[in-house]
Amino acid sequence: MNPKIEKLLREGFTMKTISSFNEKQIDVLLEKVSKKEPKEATTVTTTKTVYSPDEAKGKAFQGTTTVRPDGSVEVTKEGEITEKSVSKKQHGLMGAAYSVEKGEKELKDIPKSYRSKVEKLTKSMDKKQLKDFASTKEKGLPIKKEEVKKLEESIMKLIDKHFNPETTKGDLLKTIKGYKQ
């Protein structure tokens, strides 16, 4: 069998598809398939947590564990950072930047009010970061981040005004649950 066709078959093309191409098209396809795209940069976080001998007893840990001479246990975990949008406006902006980065839209297609921000984002963030922000579920996000701050401030004012300083978090949660019922 032709080595070019064998390679395309190994890459996942079907014989039916390959047979519909002429020799020049097969060469072009093979050239594109052979070019290896550079790997996208990923951000990896490393988290180290140290547990005292008492805390470590009977626990199962995920990650690399090291028992120290004093009996404490160090657990190291690695993971990729995934970013999330904090508001609908940020989600929309990141979605626009991601679509420009992917080539689905051109910068001129973006509304003028967003254009300079989108341009800065596409230059300062990689494709994966933009995708993480853009793929955040929009449900439950505030329109603007300030709304969350205002809500937190309002709740804190209510707590300061209506609750004793000695009120515990548990007492507060019981009170809130009592209003729900």
Side-chain angles (χ1 to χ4, degrees):
M1 183 180 274
N2 183 334
K4 292 177 184 178
I5 293 174
E6 280 183 33
K7 181 159 183 158
L8 290 173
L9 287 170
R10 280 193 306 271
E11 290 292 330
F13 291 93
T14 64
M15 193 59 174
K16 182 178 178 184
T17 303
I18 296 169
S19 64
S20 66
F21 296 133
N22 64 34
E23 192 65 33
K24 188 173 182 178
Q25 289 171 323
I26 289 174
D27 289 341
V28 169
L29 185 60
L30 190 61
E31 185 181 322
K32 287 187 179 195
V33 169
S34 297
K35 283 184 183 177
K36 295 293 178 194
E37 291 290 320
K39 269 196 162 184
E40 207 173 278
T42 57
T43 307
V44 177
T45 58
T46 303
T47 310
K48 285 187 180 184
T49 310
V50 179
Y51 296 92
S52 70
D54 291 336
E55 292 173 317
K57 279 185 184 170
K59 278 192 177 178
F61 299 104
Q62 288 184 339
T64 307
T65 56
T66 308
V67 179
R68 294 178 165 182
D70 65 353
S72 61
V73 177
E74 182 180 288
V75 181
T76 307
K77 293 181 192 176
E78 285 191 2
E80 226 176 274
I81 293 178
T82 53
E83 310 274 356
K84 299 232 181 270
S85 295
V86 294
S87 69
K88 289 181 181 177
K89 280 196 168 203
Q90 185 186 41
H91 181 262
L93 182 66
M94 293 297 182
Y98 182 54
S99 65
V100 167
E101 187 69 24
K102 281 189 349 184
E104 290 177 352
K105 287 186 179 178
E106 290 184 28
L107 206 52
K108 66 178 178 146
D109 300 330
I110 305 298
K112 285 183 181 181
S113 58
Y114 276 122
R115 203 172 291 160
S116 66
K117 291 178 184 178
V118 167
E119 187 174 19
K120 285 178 189 174
L121 285 170
T122 56
K123 288 179 181 177
S124 66
M125 297 175 79
D126 65 30
K127 199 174 189 177
K128 189 209 177 303
Q129 289 173 315
L130 291 170
K131 182 181 179 183
D132 287 346
F133 276 106
S135 63
T136 303
K137 300 255 186 282
E138 203 173 277
K139 187 177 180 182
L141 287 178
I143 294 170
K144 288 185 178 180
K145 189 177 178 182
E146 291 86 45
E147 290 177 1
V148 174
K149 288 180 185 174
K150 288 178 186 174
L151 180 62
E152 287 174 359
E153 287 171 7
S154 298
I155 291 171
M156 291 308 294
K157 283 179 186 175
L158 284 170
I159 290 171
D160 289 343
K161 187 175 179 181
H162 298 288
F163 286 93
N164 217 345
E166 290 83 32
T167 304
T168 65
K169 186 176 178 182
D171 292 338
L172 182 61
L173 288 173
K174 284 179 189 173
T175 305
I176 293 169
K177 286 179 183 176
Y179 283 114
K180 280 186 175 179
Q181 296 169 353

